[in-house]
Amino acid sequence: MQGIVACAMIMTASAATASVKLGEPAPPFELTLIDGTKVRSAILHGQVVVLNFWATWCGPCKAELPLLDSYYRIRKDNGLRVFAVATEDSVPASKLKPLFAAMTIPSARRIKGPFAVMGALPTNIIDRAGVVRYAKAGAFDLNELNTLLVPLLREPAP
């Protein structure tokens, strides 16, 4: 629990976070995956998207990745997309490749857009219509994932 509190306490206000607002359309973004592939937010429209920001030094973040990966494996056929976005450059991508190779979740080494300079480790959930429905720091447990995602996955695509 202390790790979750520590991760949440490093949150800082920035102009970027001001543009990511609950209940409003998510600003455009572009992910660069670990393999160099680019994913633009526009192609994700109609799916429920989880942008899970994490850092190698954040214990709760590392513990959460296997849960998110398992959840994604089960729910991806229902229109769920989860991206693990590493937030710091202290560890070379080559050291993260074994971890990412073991996961089903696409892993991003970079994100362009207002999400790029966030000062915390929030997770953002974007619904099928492209609206930000969740943006908080802290690790999920299975109950929270079900509470947040199951209703969104049941909504019809626009």
Side-chain angles (χ1 to χ4, degrees), residues 117-135:
V117 294
M118 292 180 125
L121 300 175
T123 295
N124 293 275
I125 297 175
I126 302 166
D127 70 13
R128 294 182 189 275
V131 174
V132 177
R133 298 285 286 268
Y134 180 90

Side-chain angles (χ1 to χ4, degrees), residues 81-94:
R81 295 293 302 268
V82 177
F83 296 93
V85 184
T87 60
E88 35 72 40
D89 297 327
S90 64
V91 178
S94 61

Side-chain angles (χ1 to χ4, degrees), residues 40-144:
R40 290 189 173 90
S41 55
I43 68 163
L44 299 171
H45 192 74
Q47 299 174 64
V48 175
V49 178
V50 176
L51 298 175
N52 182 256
F53 294 83
W54 71 284
T56 57
W57 50 262
C58 177
C61 300
K62 290 189 287 187
E64 178 187 47
L65 281 175
L67 173 64
L68 281 172
D69 193 58
S70 295
Y71 200 86
Y72 174 69
R73 288 174 200 247
I74 294 167
R75 301 283 187 179
K76 66 182 180 181
D77 292 339
N78 299 101
L80 178 65
R81 295 293 302 268
V82 177
F83 296 93
V85 184
T87 60
E88 35 72 40
D89 297 327
S90 64
V91 178
S94 61
K95 290 194 178 205
L96 295 175
K97 284 186 181 182
L99 168 68
F100 294 149
M103 294 184 348
T104 304
I105 298 172
S107 304
R109 59 182 176 190
R110 179 177 335 138
I111 184 169
K112 286 184 185 176
F115 301 96
V117 294
M118 292 180 125
L121 300 175
T123 295
N124 293 275
I125 297 175
I126 302 166
D127 70 13
R128 294 182 189 275
V131 174
V132 177
R133 298 285 286 268
Y134 180 90
K136 283 188 181 176
F140 287 119
D141 63 25
L142 181 58
N143 189 40
E144 290 168 318

Side-chain angles (χ1 to χ4, degrees), residues 3 11-13 16 20 22 38 44 51 84 101 119 123 138 146 153 157:
M11 291 179 61
T12 57
V20 178
L22 287 177
K38 303 225 187 262
L44 299 171
L51 298 175
T123 295
N146 282 328
L153 291 169

